């Protein structure tokens, strides 16, 4: 356990961060826009299975933007149904899920995607519904980070690069960035970034406030699978997938916290970590602020 590279060896169920990729498929196919209306009655039934929202809410008429802003499971399932299995799982594969990233790092795993095309006997319609909000599907943190970076990168999925150049006695070998594929159009990428910005703007400033920059993001809270089947009781993975600055992205960051204490919600647990890390990275990279930064004026009563 001490020597395992968990970013590539430990797949997990991404939870609601995966709604970004479901949304990308529906937007890119022209099936919806952020303002498209749909009706949330609080549940969707698939035979003996029922999909509900994380808070058991029933929200009535909603926009597609609300699916991300309110993190509605029913909305994600509705989007996947609009896409249908062929389109939905095609985009899942385009984003790189189900296949190792070819990072060159030892021990990398593929993750698991069950579809009607690779497992027609065991796949059921409810699987696509749960996959749409990141359950019943597993990925490595690196795969999720790569897919997130594709949103930031105009829709282009890049091969992960860990070495810029190799210097040796025979000279210097430079490693150039390598594109894997165009996942979605640049226009879809821009639309999704703007939607992520709305999500971040609706997050409490006490949890997420990257000073000087507008950011976009999506939280996730996922159950942890039990090796004996089903899920472990009261155990979760909290995560936050964020991009900054929103208008001209420089960084894509995935925060993943295993089995947090007290509260499980990704917004509460992982978003503040993204906030702190993003501020430091942007400063280190000397990315100029895009928004005014609040500065406290010192007066005579202040010390230091």
């Amino acid at each position: 356990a001490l020597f395992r590279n968990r970013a590539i060896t430990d797949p997990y169920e991404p939870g609601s961060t995966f709604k970004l990729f479901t949304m990308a498929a529906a937007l890119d196919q022209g099936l919806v826009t952020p303002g498209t209306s749909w009706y949330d009655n609080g549940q969707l039934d698939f035979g003996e299975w029922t999909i509900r929202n994380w808070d058991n809410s029933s929200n009535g008429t909603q926009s597609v933007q609300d699916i991300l802003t309110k993190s509605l499971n029913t909305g994600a399932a509705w989007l996947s149904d609009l896409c249908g299995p062929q389109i939905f799982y095609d985009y899942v594969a385009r984003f790189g899920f189900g296949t190792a990233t070819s990072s060159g790092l030892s021990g990398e795993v593929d993750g698991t995607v069950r579809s009607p095309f690779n497992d027609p006997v065991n796949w059921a319609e409810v699987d696509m519904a749960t996959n749409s909000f990141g359950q019943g599907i597993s990925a490595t943190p690196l795969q999720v980070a790569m897919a997130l970076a594709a949103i930031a990168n105009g829709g282009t999925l890049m091969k992960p690069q860990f070495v810029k150049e190799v210097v040796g006695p025979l000279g210097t070998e430079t490693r150039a960035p390598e594109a894997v594929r165009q996942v979605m159009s640049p226009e879809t990428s821009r639309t999704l970034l703007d939607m992520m910005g709305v999500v971040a703007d609706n997050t409490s400033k006490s949890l997420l406030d990257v000073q000087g920059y507008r950011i976009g993001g999506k939280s996730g809270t996922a159950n942890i699978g039990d090796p004996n089947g089903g899920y472990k009781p009261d155990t979760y993975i909290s995560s936050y997938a964020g991009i900054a600055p929103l208008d001209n992205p420089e960084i894509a960051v995935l925060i993943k916290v295993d089995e947090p204490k007290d509260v499980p919600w990704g917004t509460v647990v992982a978003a503040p970590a993204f906030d702190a890390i993003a501020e430091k990275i942007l400063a280190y990279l000397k990315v100029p602020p895009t928004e005014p930064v609040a500065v406290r004026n010192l007066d005579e009563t202040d010390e230091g």
Side-chain angles (χ1 to χ4, degrees), residues 41-229:
N41 66 6
Q43 68 179 57
L44 291 172
D45 296 316
F46 298 88
E48 62 183 284
W49 302 97
T50 298
I51 300 297
R52 293 185 175 87
N53 291 317
W54 64 274
D55 57 356
N56 292 315
S57 64
S58 177
N59 297 277
T61 300
Q62 300 288 291
S63 71
V64 163
Q65 173 67 60
D66 291 326
I67 295 173
L68 294 184
T69 305
K70 298 181 181 180
S71 201
L72 300 175
N73 295 342
T74 54
W78 173 73
L79 287 175
S80 68
D81 187 58
L82 281 181
C83 291
Q86 186 70 57
I87 291 173
F88 176 75
Y89 287 106
D90 177 51
Y91 276 86
V92 169
R94 285 194 206 184
F95 273 110
F97 296 108
T99 306
T101 68
S102 301
S103 65
L105 300 177
S106 177
E108 183 175 8
V109 300
D110 290 336
T112 304
V113 177
R114 184 171 65 199
S115 77
F117 312 107
N118 64 18
D119 192 1
V121 174
N122 295 305
W123 182 87
E125 189 179 6
V126 70
D127 289 316
M128 185 170 69
T130 58
N131 292 169
S132 72
F133 51 88
Q135 298 276 194
I137 190 170
S138 74
T140 64
L142 180 59
Q143 286 175 323
V144 178
M146 277 183 62
L148 177 65
I151 298 173
N153 199 41
T156 303
L157 183 74
M158 303 296 293
K159 182 177 179 180
Q161 181 181 357
F162 302 101
V163 177
K164 184 176 182 180
E165 61 183 21
V166 179
V167 180
L170 299 179
T172 300
E173 178 186 348
T174 301
R175 305 286 174 85
E178 183 180 339
V180 178
R181 70 181 69 88
Q182 190 72 25
V183 178
M184 56 186 165
S185 72
E187 293 77 15
T188 299
S189 169
R190 184 67 258 169
T191 298
L192 190 50
L193 283 171
D194 291 339
M195 295 177 75
M196 293 172 68
V198 173
V199 176
D201 289 344
N202 279 272
T203 302
S204 171
K205 295 295 185 184
S206 66
L207 300 172
L208 184 66
D209 186 17
V210 182
Q211 288 289 306
Y213 305 91
R214 184 159 184 254
I215 64 101
K218 180 71 189 76
S219 63
T221 306
N223 299 98
I224 298 177
D226 189 322
N228 298 317

Side-chain angles (χ1 to χ4, degrees), residues 26-49:
L27 290 171
D28 202 47
Q29 287 293 307
L31 299 173
V32 295
T33 69
T36 299
S37 294
W38 63 286
Y39 191 84
D40 173 31
N41 66 6
Q43 68 179 57
L44 291 172
D45 296 316
F46 298 88
E48 62 183 284
W49 302 97

